[in-house]
Amino acid sequence: MTRAFEALLADIRSAFDAYPNLARFCPIPDDLRATSVSAFDHPAARLMLADPMDDAVLPDLRDHLKAASPHAKWRETYKGTAASPDFLARFACYCIVGAGGAWISDHWAAYVVYMPPDLDYPRHEHPAEEIYFIVAGRAEFAQGSEPYHTAEAGSIVYHSSGTPHATRTTDHSMLALVFWRNHFETAPVWSSDAVFT
Ligand SMILES: [Fe+2]
């Protein structure tokens, strides 16, 4: 367990104190078990590290998400799928709690997601319920048949189980903590109406 991950967990606890809706979705579990992480690099990590993200609502959390980056197992969730080369190169995600993360819990999983400007995350779905907590920047979200709406730093966006949803950035990047509860072991898949740009 690196100090970077320990600092990150302390930041997440602080975030739950500052934003009670996080704890309403998934209370901090009492069964967190530390695991060793097999670090795995991804080119998108460099994009996150180079981005100052000056509007972060929790600057310590932003900084510790960056500090843990070299120790993280960066994910290739959509490698080998219909995802565009641009998406595969620039979409950044690593697990904090869950498979491949620094801790395991039976109750939920947590990830960091970073999207640089002008990136389209096409419609996808998963049986887990999900919230995005926007730490810095902004992005547009759409779920089901609803139109896109903008969420800014400090916002929480909820996605229900099995409902297709999409995220896109325009002139700003987005840094988010993403929490999954229920059926969080099942990976996401592209929705049948996903459009790959
Ligand atoms: Fe999702």
Side-chain angles (χ1 to χ4, degrees):
M1 178 62 57
T2 69
R3 294 175 65 90
F5 283 122
E6 290 173 353
L8 193 47
L9 183 60
D11 292 331
I12 290 174
R13 292 184 189 278
S14 297
F16 276 54
D17 290 337
Y19 294 87
N21 282 336
L22 297 176
R24 291 193 183 97
F25 179 79
C26 54
I28 295 286
D30 57 8
D31 68 338
L32 287 171
R33 305 181 294 281
T35 63
S36 61
V37 179
S38 301
F40 182 80
D41 198 15
H42 189 288
R46 240 78 61 222
L47 302 176
M48 185 182 88
L49 291 172
D51 188 337
M53 296 184 274
D54 291 327
D55 68 342
V57 291
L58 296 170
D60 287 347
L61 174 59
R62 172 203 61 202
D63 292 345
H64 289 136
L65 287 168
K66 289 184 174 185
S69 169
H71 312 287
K73 184 179 183 180
W74 286 88
R75 293 168 62 85
E76 295 182 302
T77 308
Y78 296 101
K79 184 179 182 180
T81 72
S84 71
D86 179 58
F87 178 82
L88 293 174
R90 297 200 295 139
F91 179 80
C93 177
Y94 70 77
C95 183
I96 302 167
V97 178
W103 291 274
I104 297 287
S105 168
D106 295 333
H107 298 291
W108 47 257
Y111 304 87
V112 56
V113 166
Y114 172 79
M115 292 175 59
D118 296 314
L119 185 63
D120 183 24
Y121 186 0
R123 282 164 72 85
H124 58 286
E125 58 200 71
H126 39 74
E129 291 178 275
E130 172 182 72
I131 57 171
Y132 273 65
F133 170 56
I134 314 299
V135 177
R138 68 181 64 167
E140 298 176 356
F141 292 83
Q143 176 174 203
S145 59
E146 299 170 4
Y148 277 95
H149 70 279
T150 300
E152 302 194 347
S155 302
I156 294 174
V157 178
Y158 171 75
H159 296 135
S160 57
S161 172
T163 305
H165 52 281
T167 307
R168 67 189 182 196
T169 53
T170 54
D171 54 342
H172 289 73
S173 60
M174 178 200 70
L175 178 69
L177 287 178
V178 179
F179 298 94
W180 278 22
R181 69 179 184 189
N182 302 323
H183 312 292
F184 54 81
E185 304 86 356
T186 304
V189 295
W190 297 121
S191 301
S192 58
D193 58 354
V195 176
F196 303 100
T197 55

